[in-house]
Amino acid sequence: MSEVSKLTHLDVRGHARMVEVTQKAVTERSATAEGWIEVGEAVMAAVTAGDAPKGDVLGVARIAGIMAAKRTSDLIPLCHPLPLSGCTVDFTLDRLRGRIRAVCTVHTAGRTGVEMEAITGVSMALTTLYDMCKAISKSMVITGIRLLEKTGGKSGHYRAEVKAAPPVVAVCGVKNSGKTTFLAGLIPALTARGIRVAVLKHDGHDFVPDTPGTDSRRLLMAGASPVGLYSPAHFQLAGVWPQSEPGRLIDWIDRTGMADLILIEGGKALPVPKIELVRAGVSDHPVSEGGERLAICTDLPLTLPEDLPVWGLTDYAQAADWLCGWMEVKR
């Protein structure tokens, strides 16, 4: 079979055509597509606060996505006009990484599928989001538009392989609450359960990267950033960090696929789930803010307003089991 004959929108001579579907049975069909827009800190703050210059960013983008899905056959030349029985556009804000995810799901009862309607809906929702926020930043990037799932029709059920970004959890507390000690006990318990763990330690006072007197330090001072060291067994990166938030570094860990879980030591104000340590003699109540509080580790008889797991400061196995279950739910 020639490459041309595999393309249903081309006839045997290679001419464009609208595929004949009259003889096909009417069946229930659906499709879901996703896409991302990397917006950065300023746009994310405006969207979250609802004070972007053009108003309700997500509300307008949602309507634009639904309208575009309904008009797909007017936008893509060889698509069939389809009566859509349902269409939704939803957004998820990833504040830590500075990006927004759009998901469009479309339903119909028809003779051909609605994959292009779902993709068009996502595309226009993200494009509208860019338009609504371009007064704040013109450096936003739309990326990762793809079909996630489709049902119905001759080709049956399709589901894309989805590799979710590893969840991020901050292990936080006031100074000297025992964060490093707790992590040093928790990490072996997690690795014993098959979880690959990456750790980022937050230093509120900054630090000098790499060891003075080494070649890598000399190259760093010459202006290179980052400078990498590697051997058959290990690697290390050091560099000048232009921002205080760890979102870009976490995004790099996501892309490398090196970890199943990212733990941050510190970061009590970061917009991520948190395990907080409350240790007698240094604190008597939780102080974290922003992001979901998952659990409390303490040696005090605390009464908490939330219905949270409460562990002892050395309950590493119990914490690891709970985190494994939480990660499975997140997947």
Side-chain angles (χ1 to χ4, degrees), residues 220-245:
L220 191 65
M221 291 299 96
S225 180
V227 173
L229 299 175
Y230 67 95
S231 71
H234 300 92
F235 78 93
Q236 175 181 303
L237 291 177
V240 178
W241 189 240
Q243 57 186 36
S244 59
E245 297 298 331

Side-chain angles (χ1 to χ4, degrees), residues 135-308:
I136 303 172
S137 172
K138 293 179 174 58
S139 63
M140 293 176 285
V141 177
I142 295 172
T143 185
I145 296 174
R146 65 167 178 166
L147 180 69
L148 284 180
E149 188 173 10
K150 60 86 63 177
T151 64
K154 184 178 179 180
S155 61
H157 190 186
Y158 165 82
R159 179 176 292 162
E161 181 179 352
V162 177
K163 186 182 185 306
V168 180
V169 175
V171 175
C172 62
V174 301
K175 186 177 180 181
N176 296 324
S177 57
K179 299 183 289 292
T180 302
T181 300
F182 181 77
L183 282 168
L186 175 64
I187 292 166
L190 287 168
T191 56
R193 289 158 175 77
I195 305 298
R196 299 174 301 160
V197 181
V199 177
L200 297 176
K201 180 177 174 61
H202 177 251
D203 187 333
H205 305 287
D206 209 355
F207 65 97
V208 178
D210 216 349
T211 306
T214 61
D215 289 344
S216 55
R217 174 68 174 170
R218 183 180 176 187
L219 296 172
L220 191 65
M221 291 299 96
S225 180
V227 173
L229 299 175
Y230 67 95
S231 71
H234 300 92
F235 78 93
Q236 175 181 303
L237 291 177
V240 178
W241 189 240
Q243 57 186 36
S244 59
E245 297 298 331
R248 286 176 55 194
L249 184 56
I250 288 172
D251 189 52
W252 179 81
I253 296 173
D254 292 350
R255 295 170 193 269
T256 62
M258 297 175 65
D260 303 310
L261 173 66
I262 300 173
L263 297 175
I264 298 177
E265 181 179 336
K268 61 179 177 289
L270 291 177
V272 298
K274 299 174 176 67
I275 296 172
E276 184 164 356
L277 278 61
V278 180
R279 182 182 173 194
V282 295
S283 61
D284 58 9
H285 65 279
V287 297
S288 61
E289 57 188 50
E292 176 189 10
R293 190 178 289 147
L294 297 179
I296 299 292
C297 296
T298 185
D299 54 359
L300 293 171
L302 294 180
T303 300
L304 301 170
E306 309 103 320
D307 183 19
L308 296 177

Side-chain angles (χ1 to χ4, degrees), residues 51-104:
D51 58 3
K54 291 189 177 181
D56 182 5
V57 171
L58 299 184
V60 174
R62 177 177 291 109
I63 294 300
I66 294 171
M67 290 177 63
K70 292 165 63 176
R71 297 288 300 274
T72 298
S73 62
D74 292 335
L75 301 171
I76 301 177
L78 302 177
C79 279
H80 296 83
L82 291 173
L84 304 188
S85 56
C87 180
T88 60
V89 176
D90 296 301
F91 299 98
T92 303
L93 276 59
D94 187 344
R95 291 192 290 155
L96 185 65
R97 297 170 179 84
R99 61 185 184 177
I100 299 173
R101 181 186 187 228
V103 175
C104 179

